[in-house]
Amino acid sequence: MAGNSKEQLLSMRVYNNLQSLGCPLVDGLYLREADSMQELLCSPSLHRTDILKWICASICPSLKEKFSTIKATQNEDLVQELTRFGHEMMLCKANDQDLVKGLAPPLRQLRFLEQLLMVIQTDSSINSNVKNDDLLGELMFQDHLSDLDMLQNPVCNPWSAHIREHLIRTQSAHNKVNGNHSKPSDFINGSDQHSRLGSQGEESLTEAMALLQSTQSTLDELHKECEFLQSHSSSSAAVLSPCALKVAISDMSQLMTAFGHIYNTDFKAYCQRAPPALNSGASVFQSVHQLLHTCNTELEALKQMSETSSSFTQTVQQLQTDKRYWSKGEKHTLPKRLQELKKKYAAFLSLHQS
């Protein structure tokens, strides 16, 4: 009975992908239990190593020669080569040998295998497109232009006299055997009708040829825009290798799938919702907001005025009470000095009047 844990579900998916890709190492196993699939894919064994070798060689066929030079006793060299390839694919660290040996956690191993298989699936789809491009290029080759011209301009000459006589006798004999009483000339008329149908199909062939030419020109323009397909230097290959491009395409596909799922389940209902209708009292709320803002500004000004008045009063009181100057050997305050000046001024006025 298949389990419902994340590791078991992922094991079944990886195992089914291996079967769909035609991995010869899983043919004839006929595993039905998820535990058995997980044990095959996540336990250290020679069979698991061979499966990993097949996956890596399917992604990069040049690895087959390297694997063939490594002996069966040189297991560490094989592990290092597989780890290096996984690091080049940006799927593991440079020293992550436990992941290759099957000693890492099962969930991490299964995700590593699934990412490698997704690269193979992406590569197979790209190869199918490349095959279509190759077929189109072969069809448009110079040697086949004469055949294309013949398809565009089919020629069907009228039957000669001896061929027409032969066809009439053959049709007459055939009608006698089958009891058919149709006229022999009907066969000739049918042949002429097929000729007319062939001439009517010339227009559709012309449209197909125009479509092929436009497709070829589009492919040429795309090839010119893709600079990495034209450069063969080692520096450009180091910057953008085919393996890194495959991984980037695989990651982008996963992100787009995840976003599509989240959009359809969470965001779609909100994005398609009609915008809210504005209330007719919005202008009233705006006026109230402006009045409240003006009131707050006036209250702030009054608060500052009160603080300034209090500070000014405190300063005047300090000037009145503090001793500021010396007179006759004593330090007097300002009010006392003012009283003395008033007395002297009054005495001066009295003397002046007298």
Side-chain angles (χ1 to χ4, degrees):
M1 180 178 178
N4 294 324
S5 66
K6 194 171 184 178
E7 291 83 356
Q8 290 176 336
L9 293 175
L10 193 56
S11 300
M12 295 177 63
R13 188 159 66 241
V14 172
Y15 182 79
N16 292 332
N17 288 337
L18 286 171
Q19 285 185 328
S20 62
L21 291 173
C23 178
L25 299 169
V26 297
D27 289 343
L29 296 181
Y30 304 107
L31 299 181
R32 294 292 182 268
E33 299 293 333
D35 295 334
S36 303
M37 299 177 187
Q38 182 176 346
E39 183 178 0
L40 172 66
L41 299 173
C42 302
S43 300
S45 63
L46 182 60
H47 198 175
R48 178 187 177 278
T49 304
D50 292 338
I51 292 175
L52 190 56
K53 285 169 56 179
W54 179 86
I55 294 174
C56 295
S58 299
I59 298 174
C60 185
S62 61
L63 289 177
K64 292 182 180 180
E65 298 180 1
K66 292 185 179 181
F67 292 155
S68 62
T69 57
I70 300 176
K71 298 180 181 179
T73 56
Q74 297 175 339
N75 190 29
E76 290 297 328
D77 295 339
L78 179 60
V79 171
Q80 291 179 1
E81 186 66 28
L82 292 174
T83 306
R84 183 190 63 79
F85 179 73
H87 178 63
E88 289 181 355
M89 297 288 291
M90 297 184 291
L91 298 178
C92 67
K93 298 179 180 178
N95 57 351
D96 202 356
Q97 297 184 0
D98 291 341
L99 183 63
V100 176
K101 292 180 180 180
L103 302 176
L107 185 60
R108 188 160 176 263
Q109 294 186 52
L110 292 171
R111 286 177 176 172
F112 175 67
L113 294 173
E114 187 180 30
Q115 288 176 338
L116 289 174
L117 292 175
M118 289 184 68
V119 174
I120 297 178
Q121 292 173 350
T122 305
D123 191 22
S124 61
S125 62
I126 294 175
N127 289 335
S128 63
N129 294 332
V130 172
K131 290 180 180 179
N132 293 335
D133 297 340
D134 294 340
L135 178 60
L136 182 61
E138 184 178 357
L139 184 62
M140 300 298 295
F141 194 62
Q142 186 69 29
D143 295 342
H144 298 158
L145 290 180
S146 59
D147 298 333
L148 291 176
D149 293 337
M150 186 180 297
L151 290 174
Q152 286 182 330
N153 302 309
V155 177
C156 183
N157 296 323
W159 299 114
S160 57
H162 65 283
I163 293 179
R164 290 173 65 89
E165 185 65 25
H166 173 73
L167 291 175
I168 291 173
R169 288 198 304 269
T170 305
Q171 185 66 18
S172 300
H174 182 71
N175 292 337
K176 290 179 181 179
V177 173
N178 296 331
N180 190 3
H181 301 286
S182 60
K183 297 180 181 180
S185 59
D186 293 341
F187 182 76
I188 305 300
N189 295 333
S191 300
D192 296 338
Q193 184 177 3
H194 285 296
S195 300
R196 288 194 299 271
L197 290 176
S199 61
Q200 292 176 357
E202 181 180 353
E203 183 178 355
S204 60
L205 276 175
T206 304
E207 295 177 357
M209 186 61 187
L211 179 60
L212 287 174
Q213 291 178 353
S214 62
T215 305
Q216 180 65 30
S217 60
T218 304
L219 290 175
D220 293 339
E221 292 177 358
L222 290 175
H223 189 272
K224 293 178 182 178
E225 293 179 1
C226 299
E227 297 179 355
F228 61 90
L229 294 178
Q230 301 176 4
S231 59
H232 301 283
S233 60
S234 59
S235 60
S236 61
V239 174
L240 185 60
S241 62
C243 296
L245 183 60
K246 293 176 184 177
V247 174
I249 295 174
S250 176
D251 294 342
M252 184 177 178
S253 176
Q254 290 181 355
L255 291 174
M256 292 177 66
T257 303
F259 175 77
H261 177 70
I262 294 174
Y263 174 78
N264 291 326
T265 55
D266 297 336
F267 295 153
K268 188 174 182 179
Y270 297 97
C271 294
Q272 295 180 350
R273 183 178 298 176
L278 297 178
N279 195 336
S280 58
S283 58
V284 178
F285 287 103
Q286 185 177 4
S287 301
V288 171
H289 178 268
Q290 291 178 353
L291 292 174
L292 289 175
H293 180 69
T294 304
C295 182
N296 290 333
T297 305
E298 293 179 355
L299 290 175
E300 186 70 23
L302 291 174
K303 180 181 177 182
Q304 293 180 0
M305 184 180 295
S306 176
E307 292 177 355
T308 304
S309 177
S310 175
S311 178
F312 181 74
T313 303
Q314 184 179 0
T315 303
V316 172
Q317 290 177 355
Q318 186 177 2
L319 290 173
Q320 292 178 354
T321 56
D322 290 350
K323 296 179 178 181
R324 295 291 179 180
Y325 63 95
W326 288 87
S327 177
K328 296 180 181 181
E330 295 180 358
K331 195 173 184 181
H332 300 275
T333 59
L334 183 60
K336 188 176 181 179
R337 179 61 177 167
L338 290 174
Q339 292 176 2
E340 291 178 357
L341 291 174
K342 288 180 179 180
K343 290 180 180 180
K344 289 181 179 181
Y345 181 69
F348 173 76
L349 289 177
S350 63
L351 290 174
H352 182 70
Q353 291 177 357
S354 61

